[in-house]
Amino acid sequence: MANDSSAVLDAISPDSIADPFTPPADSSLWQKNFLLGAATASYQIEGAVREDGRLPSIWDTFSATPGKVLAGDTGEVACDHYHRWESDVDLLAGLGLEAYRLSTAWPRVMDEAGVPNRKGLDFYKRLLTRLKEKGITTMVTLYHWDLPQHLEDRGGWLNRDTAYRFAEYADLMSRELTGLVDAWATLNEPWCSAYLGYGNGHHAPGRANGRYATQAMHHLLLAHGLAVPILRANDPDSQKGIVANVGRGTANSDSAADQRAAHLFEVQHNAWILDPLLKGAYPQDLFELWPHTEPLVLEGDMETIAAPLDFLGINYYFRTNVESDGAHGFTEAPPEGVERTQMGWEVHPDGLRDLLIGFHGTYANLPPIYITENGMASDDKVTDGKVDDSQRISFLKRHLAAVDQAIKAGVKIRGYFLWSLMDNFEWAFGYERRFGIVHVDYGTQKRTIKRSAELVTKFLKERKARG
């Protein structure tokens, strides 16, 4: 299908699409002030890893290490977005999506000494300018895991100095891009950066030590806290926030031990991040679960981390059912006979609703929320020029219904970003797992709009027509 925005809209006829997606008439999603958009991340789509002064990142190093990424895939080309950004923006606009969440690549915009790389900065300026010309609301994530390798060589997020280097990066980007960004997110999913990157080694940089994970998390959150006042000073008209991935933990039985196990799962997955941000302290239960892993915290750190937020981004994908490990922790107890995605993750929309309502009750200062990622992977194939991703359509409808239920329960939710705009490099799973609402043929770079995207477009056209 053509990438010209008007051609995309014209080609998607609401009358020709059987619709199992559109929300009911009383859904909050019909409100015009509820943003519906899509999200991507720099390393997952851009490619061009050695062009125009871009430096190596930890994901370049990690994915080039044999055995770290499925099939030996890397982000060297990815979706070639660095060269195809104009047609990709046209595609996004053509789908009628109202908002776009993207990330900037730290290694693309400054050198080892912190000197700005004009070619990298100009790429993001052109991209964001085109998005604003199309009337698309922009959310920019400063850190979506692609740490410059030279900083990792000096300790990465285990080195407190990295937090200060991040503040310099935030200063550069917010000065250069002021007026082009509607909302800044400092970090994406610090849980993944800290735990998967430094705790169990499944993600870059591939370190595996529990003590490393908690110290890396502290420095990530410190980096966030240092950046927020800089963003406020340089770009006062934009919103400032952070994006956390959250997980619903459920107990395998009503026993006190299993209930405690579910609680501890949510402590390490949710409260580890949200308590410092919103309460100014780490949950002590975390160190019951992971004894002797307390990070080094200097005076004033927790106040810095708890800088007021304009919004909180929430990424949700699945729940985890757990049982007591017989000691002081938990072990997974996957239920049988449940719906799962290509990732093996359970489809459990009630978990999103329950978490949102729970956060609303737990944190008195909970800021407005954007669902910054929600979606699923499936083994999508193009057949006769079409992609019928029926499971994704059902998934999205049920999760949007869960969001609506949370709104009706009093949670302030301002928008929802589909993960992802297009199939892309799925980290340690390479290119096998497809999360996009647009199919990408990685050999030809041809984009094919999936049926899920057509139905989202149909809904947005109907909402716009209502006025």
Side-chain angles (χ1 to χ4, degrees):
M1 189 172 291
N3 282 351
D4 176 76
S5 58
S6 60
V8 173
L9 284 168
D10 291 344
I12 299 174
S13 169
D15 296 332
S16 66
I17 304 171
D19 188 359
F21 174 80
T22 299
D26 66 345
S27 172
S28 305
L29 275 62
W30 288 104
Q31 300 300 314
K32 289 179 66 177
N33 60 355
F34 184 90
L35 279 177
L36 190 57
T40 63
S42 52
Y43 190 74
Q44 293 182 268
I45 67 168
E46 285 181 1
V49 298
R50 286 182 286 272
E51 290 190 40
D52 293 339
R54 182 189 179 278
L55 302 179
S57 80
I58 56 173
W59 271 97
D60 295 308
T61 303
F62 188 78
S63 61
T65 304
K68 295 298 186 182
V69 175
L70 193 65
D73 292 335
T74 76
E76 185 169 353
V77 176
C79 304
D80 197 31
H81 176 71
Y82 190 76
H83 301 115
R84 301 170 186 265
W85 66 270
E86 292 179 271
S87 57
D88 284 342
V89 171
D90 286 345
L91 175 61
L92 177 76
L95 292 173
L97 292 166
E98 301 164 323
Y100 182 47
R101 176 180 171 236
L102 63 119
S103 74
T104 53
W106 191 347
R108 199 179 288 286
V109 298
M110 60 199 316
D111 70 9
E112 291 190 29
V115 176
N117 175 20
R118 186 53 51 191
K119 288 183 178 179
L121 290 166
D122 286 347
F123 167 71
Y124 293 113
K125 283 187 176 180
R126 292 192 301 270
L127 173 60
L128 287 161
T129 298
R130 172 66 72 89
L131 288 164
K132 299 307 288 183
E133 289 171 353
K134 296 287 187 180
I136 295 170
T137 297
T138 54
M139 179 181 287
V140 172
T141 306
L142 286 168
Y143 184 68
H144 202 126
W145 305 355
D146 42 1
L147 184 71
Q149 182 61 45
H150 66 86
L151 290 177
E152 179 59 34
D153 293 342
R154 299 204 293 266
W157 290 110
L158 299 179
N159 184 348
R160 184 181 176 93
D161 184 65
T162 301
Y164 297 100
R165 301 291 76 75
F166 178 82
E168 293 174 354
Y169 164 55
D171 181 46
L172 171 67
M173 300 309 289
S174 54
R175 283 188 286 107
E176 291 284 341
L177 302 180
T178 184
L180 296 174
V181 178
D182 294 299
W184 292 95
T186 52
L187 309 176
N188 176 76
E189 299 185 350
W191 186 92
C192 292
S193 296
Y195 186 76
L196 299 182
Y198 291 86
N200 68 12
H202 289 180
H203 278 187
R207 303 196 189 199
N209 183 298
R211 180 72 172 78
Y212 289 173
T214 55
Q215 192 63 60
M217 176 66 81
H218 184 68
H219 291 154
L220 282 154
L221 295 178
L222 179 64
H224 156 80
L226 292 169
V228 168
I230 294 170
L231 296 172
R232 292 199 185 284
N234 290 346
D235 195 5
D237 294 332
S238 62
Q239 297 181 61
K240 290 82 183 172
I242 188 172
V243 171
N245 59 306
V246 298
R248 177 69 170 131
T250 57
N252 204 42
S253 77
D254 291 332
S255 73
D258 282 357
Q259 293 292 322
R260 178 67 176 169
H263 167 74
L264 289 174
F265 173 86
E266 292 198 357
V267 165
Q268 63 84 28
H269 211 96
N270 306 333
W272 185 19
I273 297 91
L274 298 183
D275 276 17
L277 293 169
L278 300 174
K279 292 183 175 181
Y282 289 107
Q284 287 307 301
D285 286 357
L286 181 69
F287 306 114
E288 173 189 326
L289 179 65
W290 296 335
H292 313 300
T293 63
E294 293 88 342
L296 175 63
V297 177
L298 301 188
E299 184 176 355
D301 281 2
M302 301 314 295
E303 291 80 6
T304 298
I305 289 169
L309 301 171
D310 299 321
F311 73 91
L312 174 65
I314 291 292
N315 295 354
Y316 173 83
Y317 290 97
F318 59 94
R319 78 154 172 174
T320 303
N321 195 65
V322 300
E323 61 187 3
S324 172
D325 65 359
H328 301 290
F330 60 83
T331 186
E332 294 188 19
E336 296 181 358
V338 298
E339 180 186 357
R340 296 188 181 277
T341 71
Q342 187 190 20
M343 296 290 287
W345 298 343
E346 181 186 358
V347 177
H348 193 74
D350 287 355
L352 176 57
R353 177 201 62 208
D354 294 345
L355 286 170
L356 292 169
I357 293 173
F359 298 153
H360 179 62
T362 299
Y363 301 105
N365 57 339
L366 185 71
I369 287 172
Y370 290 93
I371 308 302
T372 37
E373 289 182 26
N374 182 233
M376 59 156 285
S378 56
D379 185 18
D380 299 323
K381 302 286 195 303
V382 179
T383 304
D384 297 328
K386 299 181 182 298
V387 181
D388 186 3
D389 53 339
S390 56
Q391 187 187 14
R392 179 174 293 105
I393 294 165
S394 174
F395 179 102
L396 295 175
K397 180 170 184 175
R398 286 176 284 162
H399 283 79
L400 283 164
V403 170
D404 179 53
Q405 291 164 6
I407 292 172
K408 289 174 177 173
V411 186
K412 296 178 181 177
I413 305 173
R414 300 291 188 249
Y416 175 99
F417 292 79
L418 299 140
W419 185 267
S420 172
L421 173 64
M422 64 184 104
D423 299 334
N424 54 52
F425 177 80
E426 183 46 42
W427 306 112
F429 293 98
Y431 294 103
E432 183 187 78
R433 314 295 166 92
R434 294 180 176 273
F435 275 89
I437 59 170
V438 174
H439 182 278
V440 177
D441 181 321
Y442 297 112
T444 65
Q445 292 297 335
K446 178 180 174 58
R447 275 69 160 145
T448 302
I449 294 170
K450 301 180 187 181
R451 187 162 173 260
S452 57
E454 294 181 337
L455 292 176
V456 170
T457 296
K458 177 177 182 288
F459 163 64
L460 287 167
K461 289 179 74 172
E462 290 178 359
R463 188 171 74 171
K464 186 175 182 179
R466 289 189 178 194

